[in-house]
Amino acid sequence: MTSFAPAPSHLAFVPFVSVENMMALVHTIGIETFLRELAEYLEADFKRWPEFDKTPRVAAHSAEGVIELMPTSDSSLYGFKYVNGHPKNTKEGLQTVTAFGMLADVASGYPTLLSEMTLLTALRTAATSAMAAKYLARPNAKTMAIIGNGAQSEFQAMAFREIVGIRVLRLYDLDRTASEKCARNLSGQGFDITICDSSEEAVDGADIITTVTADKQCATILSDNMVGAGIHINAVGGDCPGKTELQRDILLRSSIFAEYPPQTRIEGEIQQLPEDHPVTELWQVINGEAKGRASDSQITLFDSVGFAIEDFSALRYVRDKLDATGLYEKLDILADPDDPRDLFGMLQRSKGADNA
């Protein structure tokens, strides 16, 4: 029997970057170059921040964690990320965070990229942290304490080495094996690494403190007496209502910078403060519209919760690398009949092909 089912057109296929291909892409480019170039994409999009549609992410909270959708768009591209955060997962052999994302053409609505974003989120989070520190930390910063040595810690260290110049790491985690894992993974990367027995020991002598713990609770990872003059705090772990890492008094002594305050006031460290407490948007600092670090004695705090524009930047970066590397698959995920009005006919003809 003759088949009348049309073969998929080129419009039916969407480039898909799997975990395997994402890892290959990072190794092909080199992780240092990847982080540096990704930070450049992030910085470029922060400079045009007013062009984007912005809304706090759509979140479904449960006792176990959160599932979120993070959308944004400029005049030509739409992007979104699906991401979860389930701290209990590690006890069950699962990732705390998993994600995937998509870019689409605004003019047609057709998807142009589908990608894993578990690895990519880790990379963009680290690149964003280091990009912010470039503007907010003291220019001669060389030592960073990382409190919380789980899946994000090595990415933070590598980004800060490449973009800020950090060479000395002081690691602390309640689970010492996590610190040992982090130190082992970063061996041979040019760091002087000390595993510490307490968070107080870890912050001693640090220019930058990164907090990146996972527990979904209001915790005191840093207390006020641990934070001296001139410190830059990169607060990454607090990213949902009821989850913080810093004692409130630290916030009152700090100049606070955020990605998108309407979201950060719900999810970040500043959920502990009144709605009218002053916060500076990071894009304004990058554009020269607001001051970042004003003195060597100033305490600066990047209250980082992650925002959709950062994922948009990361997806743009990956998309722009695909033609040169070929590290993607073509997925037939868009129904594209010869006649756009005849979707049912396409379905019927496929039945004839199956019976041929």
Side-chain angles (χ1 to χ4, degrees):
M1 181 181 295
T2 302
S3 170
F4 295 100
S9 78
H10 71 284
L11 295 175
F13 292 100
V14 175
F16 168 61
V17 181
S18 65
V19 173
E20 181 181 7
N21 276 329
M22 184 63 73
M23 292 190 292
L25 183 66
V26 172
H27 290 308
T28 298
I29 296 169
I31 189 168
E32 296 89 352
T33 301
F34 193 106
L35 287 164
R36 186 181 68 253
E37 292 180 346
L38 176 52
E40 292 168 358
Y41 271 64
L42 287 159
E43 193 164 347
D45 283 340
F46 269 73
K47 285 181 177 178
R48 62 188 187 102
W49 194 264
E51 297 178 18
F52 287 90
D53 294 332
K54 293 175 285 293
T55 183
R57 50 189 159 211
V58 181
H61 293 280
S62 69
E64 290 77 23
V66 63
I67 295 174
E68 300 169 331
L69 290 177
M70 300 173 64
T72 191
S73 178
D74 64 7
S75 58
S76 60
L77 286 174
Y78 172 90
F80 81 87
K81 182 175 77 174
Y82 165 98
V83 62
N84 76 295
H86 286 68
K88 71 175 182 61
N89 277 5
T90 53
K91 296 176 183 178
E92 301 173 9
L94 303 173
Q95 286 288 309
T96 299
V97 175
T98 65
F100 65 88
M102 179 176 283
L103 284 180
D105 175 52
V106 166
S108 67
Y110 269 48
T112 58
L113 176 68
L114 177 64
S115 178
E116 83 80 35
M117 289 197 74
T118 305
L119 281 164
L120 188 56
T121 293
L123 290 156
R124 75 84 162 135
T125 300
T128 302
S129 293
M131 177 193 69
K134 186 175 75 170
Y135 288 90
L136 302 178
R138 288 178 296 192
N140 59 347
K142 291 289 182 286
T143 301
M144 181 164 72
I146 305 179
I147 302 176
N149 302 151
Q152 175 64 205
S153 56
E154 295 94 340
F155 293 94
Q156 291 281 328
M158 293 296 291
F160 273 80
R161 192 199 71 181
E162 182 63 24
I163 296 166
V164 181
I166 290 297
R167 288 293 184 270
V168 180
L169 297 177
R170 300 180 63 80
L171 307 179
Y172 174 69
D173 195 290
L174 287 171
D175 180 0
R176 188 177 178 86
T177 63
S179 299
E180 292 168 350
K181 175 270 305 179
C182 182
R184 184 169 61 250
N185 286 341
L186 292 173
S187 65
Q189 297 293 339
F191 292 108
D192 177 355
I193 301 174
T194 300
I195 296 176
C196 300
D197 294 323
S198 67
S199 53
E200 290 84 357
E201 181 186 350
V203 303
D204 185 25
D207 304 301
I208 298 171
I209 303 171
T210 288
T211 58
V212 61
T213 59
D215 284 347
K216 189 179 180 183
Q217 62 180 332
C218 291
T220 303
I221 306 304
L222 285 184
S223 56
D224 187 41
N225 66 313
M226 295 165 61
V227 179
I231 291 289
H232 172 62
I233 303 170
N234 176 41
V236 181
D239 58 2
C240 67
K243 181 184 178 188
T244 59
E245 297 178 311
L246 310 186
Q247 191 176 60
R248 184 176 182 273
D249 288 346
I250 297 172
L251 308 182
L252 300 177
R253 295 170 55 213
S254 301
S255 299
I256 303 172
F257 302 84
E259 295 130 319
Y260 183 59
Q263 178 174 290
T264 311
R265 291 189 189 277
I266 297 169
E267 301 180 348
E269 296 298 326
I270 58 174
Q271 66 185 273
Q272 304 179 65
L273 300 178
E275 283 287 327
D276 60 352
H277 189 89
V279 174
T280 302
E281 295 188 51
L282 182 60
W283 74 268
Q284 294 176 310
V285 176
I286 293 172
N287 264 352
E289 298 180 21
K291 285 187 177 181
R293 173 168 290 275
S295 72
D296 281 350
S297 61
Q298 181 184 14
I299 299 170
T300 54
L301 165 61
F302 179 41
D303 193 358
S304 173
V305 298
F307 191 65
I309 294 172
E310 295 156 24
D311 301 307
F312 180 97
S313 304
L315 288 166
R316 275 204 315 116
Y317 175 67
V318 169
R319 178 203 63 184
D320 289 352
K321 292 296 183 180
L322 295 188
D323 284 345
T325 63
L327 291 170
Y328 64 95
E329 304 166 45
K330 291 182 178 180
L331 291 189
D332 178 13
I333 61 173
L334 298 178
D336 184 53
D338 292 340
D339 181 348
R341 302 166 298 177
D342 194 21
L343 189 62
F344 187 81
M346 178 182 176
L347 177 62
Q348 289 294 86
R349 288 191 293 275
S350 71
K351 179 180 179 181
D354 290 340
N355 292 334

